[in-house]
Amino acid sequence: MTADDVRKKHREFLFPATANYYAEPLVIDRAKGLRVTDKDGRTYLDFFGGILTVSLGHCEERVSGPVAEQVRRLQHASTLYPNEWIVALAERLAAITPGKLRKSFFTNSGSEADETAVALARMHTGTLEVVALRHGYSGRTLVAANLTAHAGWRMPSLVPGIKHALAPYCYRCPLGLTYPDCGVRCAKDIEELIQTETTGRVAALIAEPILGVGGFIVPPREYFEIAASIVRKYGGLFIADEVQTGFGRTGGTMFGIEHFGVEPDIMTFAKGLANGAPIGATIARDEVAESWKGSTISTFGGNPVSMVAALATLDVMKQEDVPARSLAMGARLRKGLDGLAAKHRVIGDVRGMGLMQALELVEDRQTKEPAAKRAGAVMEAARRRGLLVGKGGLYGNVVRISPPMLVEAAEIDEALTALAGAFDDVQ
Ligand code: PMP
């Protein structure tokens, strides 16, 4: 098949809602490390990592090797039969996650991981109502799509009991305030939300330490301490959705929430945990996990191939000290992005942590009118210059940059040069 054949058949045989990047969607044929090659033989530097999922690098041999071996040894068991890989990964997650998180349930995606977390919190507290964040993203299954607070990604509000708190979006403060004088009022407002929009008891707050799809929105340092303590006061648990921020991505720590000094009651993972193999995981404290009464099953959840992929990914992360790498390479990337912002007024905000960095584009720095078309144009121009980046934000005006974390300094510099060229192109 040629690239055009693929695009034509995609239009013909896939749901039209299957969102693709680029006016002419990129047909990827193969990849190695940070280099992705398309059907026409063009190679790109990948600074989005398949939505922060290729956490180490494409087809990293130290993961692909054990995966290939496992496919030949035992591909499938289902959660009905214990196997050594599912217990090994569960034990490893218990060891590396903060606090008393200890018992895991495995699924195939972030959506399922979040659904599992919310269902568990509801069972544990005997309460239905859940607080999520505006601009947050939880996935595409029914509860997850209703937790999601982005019109474009939502489904009609079919799930009752979900309340959306103000986003800790300092660049566009929903209260029109400025940090730190604001006293983090957005977090404190959760108390009034619970008092006025719920029965006065909640099952949980579910939140991303950095709002990923929302455009890498970084909450103020005190945010989660305030938010979690309010939610706990009203009987709820704190669920940290680490689907994007987990496994070194935010630099210096293994998990995003560790920057905020709060221990979650439940954490969810997917994406980067297995360097591209499908996986979802939900981990909880013992007594929380024990609240799931009755039986539950996931046919593919915890399958030996994904477990081996995750174990191998975590081994490499340890060998390479990925959190430290992410911190160092992230700082190099950030310095370059700050330099770009000094030159281009279209860049209204540079934000992020570690190797999770974003540029929010605006028509005017005073009015902050979102510049979505320009973000799209920058993406296209970057592609022409051989660089893949992502896009996000409620207004589609945020360029998201999140390379695989084994990225080298030379690749950061190469990406920054391509990005600088892309901004010059769309000037
Ligand atoms: N949570 C977060 C924070 C996410 O970014 C995503 C995916 N973008 C999900 C949950 C859902 O994950 P999946 O697409 O694997 O279902």
Side-chain angles (χ1 to χ4, degrees):
M1 272 191 231
T2 65
D4 277 338
D5 292 337
V6 173
R7 283 186 283 261
K8 187 164 167 286
K9 284 182 193 291
H10 195 283
R11 283 193 299 274
E12 203 173 343
F13 296 112
L14 281 112
F15 276 21
T18 315
N20 281 154
Y21 271 160
Y22 305 113
E24 182 174 83
L26 177 67
V27 180
I28 295 182
D29 188 54
R30 56 193 182 278
K32 191 77 193 160
L34 271 86
R35 308 281 165 179
V36 161
T37 305
D38 72 9
K39 264 280 184 205
D40 300 316
R42 247 205 106 187
T43 294
Y44 303 86
L45 188 56
D46 184 3
F47 265 51
F48 198 41
I51 330 181
L52 299 83
T53 300
V54 181
S55 45
L56 300 172
H58 289 277
C59 304
E60 161 63 43
E61 196 43 45
R62 287 169 287 178
V63 178
S64 302
V67 163
E69 241 172 70
Q70 187 62 36
V71 170
R72 291 193 195 96
R73 176 180 178 146
L74 178 69
Q75 162 130 39
H76 179 73
S78 92
T79 51
L80 292 177
Y81 307 97
N83 62 70
E84 73 176 78
W85 305 283
I86 194 171
V87 297
L89 183 58
E91 186 176 20
R92 186 85 70 90
L93 289 177
I96 63 175
T97 48
K100 294 185 178 151
L101 298 173
R102 213 165 80 94
K103 284 196 163 58
S104 288
F105 187 78
F106 294 102
T107 49
N108 308 285
S109 65
S111 303
E112 288 172 89
D114 283 356
E115 294 256 350
T116 303
V118 167
L120 181 60
R122 285 173 164 173
M123 287 186 231
H124 184 70
T125 59
T127 306
L128 185 71
E129 287 168 311
V130 174
V131 179
L133 298 188
R134 296 187 192 179
H135 299 260
Y137 186 90
S138 294
R140 60 167 305 287
T141 52
L142 195 56
V143 171
N146 278 258
L147 291 166
T148 294
H150 265 237
W153 298 116
R154 270 178 77 89
M155 290 187 202
S157 297
L158 299 171
V159 179
I162 296 171
K163 305 294 172 189
H164 289 100
L166 298 170
Y169 192 176
C170 295
Y171 182 63
R172 296 180 188 278
C173 177
L175 297 165
L177 302 172
T178 306
Y179 179 80
D181 297 342
C182 62
V184 199
R185 274 256 295 282
C186 58
K188 293 175 183 158
D189 184 65
I190 293 175
E191 181 143 30
E192 194 176 293
L193 178 83
I194 294 172
Q195 288 172 336
T196 59
E197 296 257 335
T198 76
T199 54
R201 279 186 61 77
V202 290
L205 162 70
I206 180 166
E208 304 157 75
I210 294 178
L211 286 75
V213 172
F216 294 179
I217 297 170
V218 184
R221 292 284 159 157
E222 308 87 333
Y223 179 80
F224 286 107
E225 240 178 289
I226 301 170
S229 77
I230 293 170
V231 166
R232 284 173 173 151
K233 181 172 155 194
Y234 292 90
L237 303 180
F238 172 44
I239 303 168
D241 174 341
E242 295 270 358
V243 168
Q244 293 208 11
T245 49
F247 308 101
R249 178 56 65 183
T250 56
T253 63
M254 202 58 171
F255 300 100
I257 200 64
E258 292 177 275
H259 297 284
F260 295 90
V262 183
E263 283 179 10
D265 303 293
I266 306 178
M267 270 170 127
T268 61
F269 315 114
K271 293 196 193 289
L273 169 55
N275 198 43
I279 194 164
T282 307
I283 190 166
R285 287 189 279 112
D286 284 335
E287 66 275 23
V288 174
E290 281 153 16
S291 302
W292 193 302
K293 302 296 178 207
S295 300
T296 189
I297 186 173
S298 172
T299 301
F300 293 118
N303 88 81
V305 179
S306 289
M307 298 298 101
V308 163
L311 286 163
T313 300
L314 292 176
D315 283 344
V316 177
M317 286 182 168
K318 195 164 175 203
Q319 280 162 26
E320 303 280 352
D321 197 353
V322 158
R325 242 195 120 79
S326 172
L327 186 67
M329 291 298 130
R332 190 179 186 101
L333 173 63
R334 178 57 176 265
K335 194 163 165 235
L337 297 177
D338 285 335
L340 268 184
K343 186 167 168 214
H344 296 278
R345 293 195 58 77
V346 70
I347 300 173
D349 195 27
V350 186
R351 58 177 178 253
M353 294 175 81
L355 283 170
M356 188 172 183
Q357 297 287 336
L359 304 171
E360 175 154 359
L361 306 195
V362 289
E363 298 296 349
D364 180 303
R365 283 189 179 180
Q366 230 58 50
T367 64
K368 299 186 179 176
E369 185 191 336
K373 277 200 180 136
R374 294 229 253 171
V378 166
M379 267 187 90
E380 296 280 0
R383 177 190 179 177
R384 285 194 295 276
R385 289 174 173 270
L387 174 72
L388 305 182
V389 290
K391 203 163 64 130
L394 183 61
Y395 316 104
N397 65 327
V398 181
V399 177
R400 292 195 289 164
I401 305 161
S402 51
M405 292 181 280
L406 296 188
V407 62
E408 302 281 350
E411 290 162 329
I412 298 270
D413 297 346
E414 184 184 336
L416 285 167
T417 303
L419 205 54
F423 274 95
D424 289 339
D425 294 346
V426 303
Q427 240 339 0

